[in-house]
Amino acid sequence: MTRRQFLATSSAALLATSMDPVSSTAAQSSTSSATLAVQGGEKAVKQSPKLPPRWGEPERERLNAMLGQDSLFYWKGPQTTLFIERFKRVCPMKYVMPCSSGTAALHIAVAAAGIGPGDEVITSPITDIGTVIGVIYQLGVPVFADLGASTYNLDPADVERRITPRTKAIIAVHLCGNPCDLHALKVLADKHGLVLIEDAAQAWGSKYRGQPIGTIGHFACFSLQNSKQITCGDGGVVASNDERFGPLLQKFGDKGFDRLKGGLFESFATNYRMSEPQAAVAAAQLDRLEGIISKRAQIGNLLTERIAGLPGVLPHQVHAEDRCGFWFYFFRLKPGAFRCERAEFVKALVAEGAEASAGYIPVPLHRNPVFQKHAFFAGRWPVRELGLTKMDYATHKTPEAEAILQTGIRLSIHEAMTEEYITSVADAVRKVAHHYMV
Ligand SMILES: Cc1ncc(COP(=O)(O)O)c(C=O)c1O
């Protein structure tokens, strides 16, 4: 059986077995009786590989070339041009606008899609707030849908339940680089005449059924912020193949000014331009992308194989035909399956030498005070005051998202990790799980 076939069959099986503490054969482990490191036993993970240098000669070369230029402005800039050319190789899109952040990329997309006062945009409640900042600034209304229990991505059935006559778009967040169910979301978007925006901020190099992430929806939005798989400190890029939207990207990232046509201002937007120094570094980083993502995908998938079938543990579920760039690995503990709280489980994992932490964002986005109080603009929300929405975030519910954040455990993944190392991390998970199993 190939690894692909294994993953396809095991994803369904592991969901079932992890719900049933006694049915799994994979529960047998040589580590099961070992003393936990937190109790003075030997560590499962002996040594953590350090992240390799994230930049070096290729970036220096581009920056040196840039310093020889007499302009550092993006428009027709050589570094920006090179960045766009390399971006198109990993994400073949006709229209590409480099910009200042992932938040900017998403705001440009939302503006170009024509989201206006009272328009509803359905998205995930487990994401960076940058996913919805643009929606709120365009006076649209983020509507948070619930998520798949182990993919942590939009549940298309719940998205459909939340579609109303006011819905204009879906923002599909590929959390951790795990591709959303884009087929189902595209079917919904087509059926209801919605725009599909892919938030690929965490999904550099990911693939949906073999296709580069970002190429299925109407817009692709990426972040180049420092924590991402590739970076230029801060930056982003928005792209589209759609003739209705693509030609608008440049002006919505550049104060509403169309640099091809010139003329008077016909639209209103802010300044989200990228500059040549960022583009120089980003262009060099794109050359590293394939090496980084293929390694992360391999390490993340191996971790899944090694913890599959462990009772009470729900691995990070990636479709067998997709590639996930594992911005991080996220697994869940089944409530009631262990004799300890999640915090104690994490503490034991860390003592074993694993790079683990509890949860991701503290609560689903709409449970933050700024949403609960509808206090987006100087403590007010004109959209609601003008009667353009009845949205009440204080009563908005996404139970699976809440549960994911309460039961999830994060494990670091990076490209310097070896198979041996990640196997020892899996051993740590198995050892701790066996120790606390009810
Ligand atoms: C899913 C997601 N969307 C949007 C953003 C916003 O990107 P940036 O921080 O570059 O503005 C991020 C960044 O953390 C993200 O992870």
Side-chain angles (χ1 to χ4, degrees), residues 275-318:
S275 69
E276 284 279 276
Q278 291 159 293
V281 175
Q285 290 270 295
L286 276 174
D287 263 2
R288 300 176 184 267
L289 183 64
E290 184 53 33
I292 291 171
I293 299 303
S294 54
K295 191 67 192 298
R296 282 179 179 242
Q298 180 206 355
I299 294 295
N301 289 339
L302 184 57
L303 181 52
T304 295
E305 282 180 27
R306 297 295 164 122
I307 62 173
L310 188 54
V313 166
L314 294 158
H316 201 148
Q317 192 188 350
V318 177

Side-chain angles (χ1 to χ4, degrees), residues 62-80 273-280:
R62 293 260 49 83
L63 286 167
N64 278 339
M66 179 208 76
L67 289 173
Q69 299 169 197
D70 56 10
S71 164
L72 300 183
F73 192 56
Y74 88 104
W75 185 248
K76 297 193 191 303
Q79 308 309 321
T80 306
R273 297 183 302 236
M274 182 184 264
S275 69
E276 284 279 276
Q278 291 159 293

Side-chain angles (χ1 to χ4, degrees), residues 15 19 126 146-155 178 314-317 330-333 399-401 403-405 407-408:
L15 276 172
M19 292 298 177
I126 300 187
D146 218 343
L147 306 177
S150 296
T151 62
Y152 322 124
N153 284 334
L154 283 176
D155 168 9
N178 189 18
L314 294 158
H316 201 148
Q317 192 188 350
F330 206 45
F331 70 96
R332 290 179 68 183
L333 301 182
E400 195 63 59
I404 289 166
L405 293 173
T407 58

Side-chain angles (χ1 to χ4, degrees), residues 329-410:
Y329 191 98
F330 206 45
F331 70 96
R332 290 179 68 183
L333 301 182
K334 186 191 167 230
F338 299 102
R339 292 176 287 106
C340 67
E341 296 294 318
R342 176 179 62 171
E344 197 178 339
F345 197 106
V346 170
K347 193 172 163 204
L349 271 181
V350 171
E352 294 296 335
E355 292 174 31
S357 56
Y360 170 36
I361 56 173
V363 287
L365 266 191
H366 56 280
R367 295 239 288 107
N368 283 277
V370 70
F371 286 89
Q372 295 282 297
K373 295 178 190 162
H374 308 100
F376 303 112
F377 297 97
R380 301 173 60 181
W381 196 20
V383 180
R384 220 163 88 116
E385 290 175 16
L386 292 170
L388 295 171
T389 185
K390 291 192 168 54
M391 172 57 76
D392 180 0
Y393 292 115
T395 58
H396 199 80
K397 298 263 184 297
T398 53
E400 195 63 59
E402 297 273 351
I404 289 166
L405 293 173
Q406 281 160 16
T407 58
I409 296 179
R410 232 172 123 155

Side-chain angles (χ1 to χ4, degrees), residues 101-103 106 127-128 130-131 173 199 201-202 223 225 228 235:
S101 66
T103 304
L106 284 147
T127 183
D128 181 86
T131 302
V173 179
D199 179 346
Q202 304 179 1
S223 166
Q225 184 268 337
K228 301 303 184 296

Side-chain angles (χ1 to χ4, degrees), residues 119-378:
D119 290 343
E120 295 177 0
V121 178
I122 301 178
T123 193
S124 168
I126 300 187
T127 183
D128 181 86
I129 192 168
T131 302
V132 296
I133 284 174
V135 177
I136 294 168
Y137 269 105
Q138 293 307 112
L139 303 181
V141 179
V143 174
F144 297 100
D146 218 343
L147 306 177
S150 296
T151 62
Y152 322 124
N153 284 334
L154 283 176
D155 168 9
D158 197 54
V159 170
E160 183 156 36
R161 280 193 285 274
R162 299 193 195 238
I163 292 174
T164 73
R166 310 213 72 142
T167 308
K168 288 281 162 54
I170 299 169
I171 302 182
V173 179
H174 305 299
L175 200 76
C176 300
N178 189 18
C180 289
D181 184 346
L182 285 170
H183 174 75
L185 294 176
K186 189 74 177 25
V187 166
L188 276 184
D190 290 346
K191 182 171 156 198
H192 297 274
L194 312 177
V195 174
L196 181 59
I197 299 171
E198 293 188 51
D199 179 346
Q202 304 179 1
W204 280 105
S206 290
K207 290 195 173 147
Y208 173 79
R209 312 293 191 267
Q211 276 182 259
I213 211 75
T215 56
I216 314 283
H218 298 99
F219 293 90
C221 303
F222 292 85
S223 166
L224 287 157
Q225 184 268 337
N226 194 56
S227 68
K228 301 303 184 296
Q229 295 98 332
I230 57 166
T231 180
C232 58
D234 254 318
V237 53
V238 53
S240 180
N241 269 329
D242 194 297
E243 292 300 333
R244 290 169 299 167
F245 308 126
L248 307 178
L249 298 180
Q250 179 273 318
K251 67 174 178 177
F252 278 114
D254 193 353
K255 297 191 277 194
F257 186 63
D258 189 328
R259 285 185 189 271
L260 272 182
K261 292 191 192 140
L264 300 177
F265 287 102
E266 285 182 24
S267 41
F268 184 72
T270 184
N271 176 359
Y272 280 143
R273 297 183 302 236
M274 182 184 264
S275 69
E276 284 279 276
Q278 291 159 293
V281 175
Q285 290 270 295
L286 276 174
D287 263 2
R288 300 176 184 267
L289 183 64
E290 184 53 33
I292 291 171
I293 299 303
S294 54
K295 191 67 192 298
R296 282 179 179 242
Q298 180 206 355
I299 294 295
N301 289 339
L302 184 57
L303 181 52
T304 295
E305 282 180 27
R306 297 295 164 122
I307 62 173
L310 188 54
V313 166
L314 294 158
H316 201 148
Q317 192 188 350
V318 177
H319 191 282
E321 291 167 54
D322 290 349
R323 176 160 86 163
C324 171
F326 287 104
W327 190 48
F328 60 83
Y329 191 98
F330 206 45
F331 70 96
R332 290 179 68 183
L333 301 182
K334 186 191 167 230
F338 299 102
R339 292 176 287 106
C340 67
E341 296 294 318
R342 176 179 62 171
E344 197 178 339
F345 197 106
V346 170
K347 193 172 163 204
L349 271 181
V350 171
E352 294 296 335
E355 292 174 31
S357 56
Y360 170 36
I361 56 173
V363 287
L365 266 191
H366 56 280
R367 295 239 288 107
N368 283 277
V370 70
F371 286 89
Q372 295 282 297
K373 295 178 190 162
H374 308 100
F376 303 112
F377 297 97

